[in-house]
Amino acid sequence: MSRYLKFWEWSDFIHNLTAGTKIKSQLKLIEDLIQSIIQEKKKQYLSGNKDNVKGKRKAFMDLLLELHFENQELSEKDILDEVNTFIAAGYETVSVTITWALYLIGPTQNSREDSRGVRQNIRIGRDRDVTEGDLNELKYLDCVLKGTFIVKKVPKMTGFSASNATQMAPRRFQ
């Protein structure tokens, strides 16, 4: 987003010399991590550990690997693209939901105190770290997060708009 606000980075050449190098290194790190996870799951799948327990749902990665090995419908690149898509969509959903939750908590002092557990006498702060047990005790915060999912649906943030009729084979969009 910052690239759009900084006119001097509009040129690919300048962007790749400045902020683009950091972005590329971060993307490379994420791709390497995802690739290592895919390779690990692939080894598990080939060793016979397919997790075909009756009544248990398969993980998304297992379904993709099944399509790759048994039906040859997906290549490794296709699997990588699918996993990247799910990670990006999950990141967008979580960030928008947290933003709405903070917006709903923010207006009143009472809601901020309730969400921190002050009224429930849960001692969380700088003196000790938050534990999983503490999170289970924050009932008001749990209700706010669940209510956020209901009240503020996460919209699709990307879109397409055309000022003129656009020809995209085989359909025409207006």
Side-chain angles (χ1 to χ4, degrees):
M1 181 67 179
S2 67
R3 182 177 183 184
Y4 298 110
L5 300 176
K6 299 175 183 174
F7 69 89
W8 56 90
E9 286 192 15
W10 290 354
S11 165
D12 288 338
F13 177 74
I14 294 174
H15 176 71
N16 291 336
L17 290 175
T18 56
T21 57
K22 185 177 180 181
I23 293 170
K24 283 184 181 180
S25 67
Q26 290 170 344
L27 286 174
K28 177 83 170 109
L29 178 72
I30 292 170
E31 276 190 10
D32 290 345
L33 175 67
I34 293 170
Q35 191 66 34
S36 68
I37 292 170
I38 290 172
Q39 293 302 321
E40 182 180 320
K41 286 294 241 178
K42 191 175 176 182
K43 286 179 187 174
Q44 287 178 359
Y45 190 88
L46 290 174
S47 69
N49 186 8
K50 297 181 183 179
D51 293 330
N52 286 338
V53 180
K54 192 113 177 151
K56 183 180 176 185
R57 290 188 236 167
K58 291 183 181 179
F60 176 65
M61 184 74 73
D62 295 332
L63 292 172
L64 293 176
L65 288 173
E66 188 175 294
L67 287 173
H68 174 66
F69 286 117
E70 295 177 10
N71 302 343
Q72 285 79 30
E73 290 182 29
L74 294 176
S75 67
E76 284 191 35
K77 175 79 169 99
D78 293 336
I79 293 173
L80 181 66
D81 291 342
E82 290 295 326
V83 172
N84 282 336
T85 301
F86 268 75
I87 288 174
Y91 172 79
E92 180 182 357
T93 302
V94 168
S95 63
V96 169
T97 302
I98 289 174
T99 302
W100 276 117
L102 291 173
Y103 175 78
L104 293 173
I105 290 172
T108 64
Q109 182 71 26
N110 291 343
S111 63
R112 288 191 301 270
E113 288 176 357
D114 287 342
S115 61
R116 285 193 331 246
V118 172
R119 293 180 189 215
Q120 299 171 5
N121 292 327
I122 300 171
R123 300 289 178 224
I124 301 172
R126 295 181 184 160
D127 53 333
R128 73 177 184 88
D129 292 333
V130 178
T131 64
E132 187 177 342
D134 294 332
L135 293 176
N136 292 334
E137 295 297 319
L138 295 172
K139 301 297 182 194
Y140 184 81
L141 183 62
D142 186 46
C143 290
V144 168
L145 291 175
K146 288 178 182 176
T148 302
F149 284 120
I150 295 168
V151 175
K152 302 291 184 185
K153 300 282 185 199
V154 178
K156 183 178 175 186
M157 299 300 276
T158 57
F160 174 86
S161 72
S163 56
N164 300 331
T166 305
Q167 180 69 34
M168 299 176 90
R171 298 171 66 185
R172 182 176 173 86
F173 296 97
Q174 293 189 355

